[in-house]
Amino acid sequence: MFRVYVTYPFPEGWLSLLEGKVILEVQSKKQFLSSGELGERLKDKDAAIVLLSNKIDKEVLNKAPELKVISNYAVGYDNIDIKEAKKRGIIVTNTPDILTNATAELTVALIFTLIRRIIESNEFLQDGKFTGWEPDLLLGFELKNSLVGILGAGRIGSAVARKLHSLGAEIVYYERLRKKDLEEEIGARKKELKWILENANIISIHLPLTKETHHLIDEEEISLMKKDAFLINTGRGPIINEAALADALREGELRGAAIDVFEHEPGINPHLLRLKNVVATPHIGSATYKARKGMAEIACKNLLAALQGKEPPYRVA
Ligand code: DGY
């Protein structure tokens, strides 16, 4: 039987597909192992289910000569050195689709929370500041008829675009290839990044993190955005230069931001958290019971198929 390591103590039953089929060792504590420790655990394993918070780099792979499969419990796989995995003939898989709706719903929720100032309003009440209805109390913006720029019109970006269109927003998108289905279905228009930055009222990031997208939104890009625009990120933190974003928000160069992912997770630029025009959540895009349990099932199916020499449902390398 193949030996498998799982880097997190998943809830009861989530890994049941593996039971009796492999020799399973599961990390007992909810803590993230260092590269050295992880390499140590993987040294005699054939396969592993890992989290996006586990960095699978050369150091780890060097210590794991038996490793044949890395089943990533996430759709993004920027935590894995794919080049090094490929060199060693290791199969890498991910868990898309099942989390698309959950992540798209969170994005929509963040947009409304931000533009209708829901957190500020809640704090206002908690602080006992509500003395009566006023015409200009806590005014916000409407999504209907606003121009939304979707950066990355893959599965999640497209789902967000469809949901926002159904709520009355006009959609433009930035993507390498044309998305004819999105254009025909909801009238989305493909545009250059600069055009979107200069024209959109709301910009939502759904790109994968790569060398090309790292700091795609930096000081210069932020300066091109409208002063009353909103920036949303439920993709990957390092796509935005977080310090530049914090400065721009503090200086009123941008109306607000909603961010679920951070440049140096779990660390967050301390200025961001203090700003009233920021809504921040701790990387919970896919955090629904349905999506997270489903991701575990897919991670198990990917792993078993690859170990059995079959094509896994979702292979990325
Ligand atoms: C992913 O899967 O990449 C998300 O960031 C977490 O679900």
Side-chain angles (χ1 to χ4, degrees):
M1 268 212 257
F2 290 111
R3 287 149 306 171
V4 172
Y5 189 71
V6 179
T7 65
Y8 188 82
F10 283 94
E12 183 74 34
W14 287 24
L15 301 175
S16 57
L17 288 176
L18 298 183
E19 279 162 20
K21 299 200 180 80
V22 296
I23 301 167
L24 195 58
E25 186 183 325
V26 181
Q27 156 81 17
S28 59
K29 290 195 196 121
K30 291 188 178 187
Q31 71 184 36
F32 305 114
L33 301 174
S34 66
S35 291
E37 289 166 324
L38 193 52
E40 198 48 40
R41 307 285 163 94
L42 294 182
K43 71 170 190 254
D44 56 352
K45 302 296 185 298
D46 299 290
I49 294 182
V50 304
L51 307 186
L52 59 87
S53 19
N54 300 130
K55 203 166 160 45
I56 310 296
D57 53 15
K58 198 170 170 181
E59 182 188 342
V60 172
L61 294 175
N62 278 344
K63 288 195 171 172
E66 309 287 320
L67 204 63
K68 299 163 195 55
V69 186
I70 302 169
S71 174
N72 206 35
Y73 179 78
V75 60
Y77 46 89
D78 47 278
N79 55 312
I80 300 171
D81 188 331
I82 294 289
K83 212 167 118 203
E84 287 296 324
K86 273 188 176 165
K87 256 198 230 164
R88 294 161 168 80
I90 297 173
I91 294 174
V92 181
T93 63
N94 70 343
T95 61
D97 291 332
I98 188 77
L99 50 65
T100 298
N101 186 62
T103 311
E105 283 187 3
L106 182 84
T107 308
V108 175
L110 286 177
I111 290 174
F112 279 122
T113 305
L114 182 65
I115 69 178
R116 294 303 303 273
R117 304 171 66 182
I118 291 173
I119 306 236
E120 261 184 277
S121 298
N122 187 252
E123 281 169 4
F124 183 84
L125 278 180
Q126 286 171 341
D127 294 346
K129 291 183 182 160
F130 187 39
T131 53
W133 190 90
E134 291 173 61
D136 55 353
L137 179 64
L138 288 157
L139 301 181
F141 291 82
E142 293 180 28
L143 176 69
K144 190 170 176 186
N145 294 330
S146 64
L147 182 68
V148 178
I150 300 284
L151 307 189
R155 293 175 176 94
I156 297 172
S158 296
V160 171
R162 287 190 174 92
K163 288 184 194 299
L164 296 181
H165 174 260
S166 75
L167 292 162
E170 189 189 334
I171 308 294
V172 289
Y173 69 95
Y174 166 71
E175 179 62 72
R176 247 175 339 118
L177 302 174
R178 255 185 90 186
K179 294 279 169 175
K180 279 203 178 152
D181 53 340
L182 217 52
E183 295 187 7
E184 279 159 20
E185 255 177 71
I186 63 169
R189 290 174 292 143
K190 184 175 184 305
K191 293 283 180 191
E192 293 303 319
L193 180 61
K194 186 165 179 282
W195 191 96
I196 294 180
L197 292 167
E198 287 171 347
N199 292 283
N201 307 110
I202 297 172
I203 294 181
S204 191
I205 300 179
H206 304 284
L207 291 157
L209 175 62
T210 61
K211 268 196 215 112
E212 292 72 38
T213 63
H214 183 266
H215 281 194
L216 182 77
I217 305 300
D218 211 327
E219 200 180 330
E220 191 186 329
E221 288 71 26
I222 294 172
S223 74
L224 294 177
M225 290 176 68
K226 288 171 179 279
K227 273 201 165 24
D228 62 358
F230 296 98
L231 184 61
I232 320 295
N233 191 6
T234 56
R236 281 292 182 268
I239 295 174
I240 300 179
N241 178 340
E242 207 169 277
L245 175 66
D247 287 349
L249 288 165
R250 206 175 31 209
E251 279 151 31
E253 310 259 309
L254 210 58
R255 173 76 64 167
I259 36 183
D260 183 48
V261 287
F262 305 93
E263 187 171 354
H264 305 289
E265 257 172 56
I268 306 173
N269 183 306
H271 302 297
L272 276 180
L273 285 182
R274 285 198 284 271
L275 293 169
K276 286 267 180 238
N277 51 350
V278 170
V279 173
T281 46
H283 205 149
I284 56 165
S286 63
T288 64
Y289 290 102
K290 182 181 172 189
R292 290 283 170 86
K293 185 160 192 262
M295 287 163 68
E297 279 166 17
I298 292 171
C300 292
K301 285 183 184 162
N302 279 335
L303 179 138
L304 289 173
L307 281 178
Q308 289 158 5
K310 297 182 199 146
E311 188 56 24
Y314 297 102
R315 178 176 180 165
V316 293

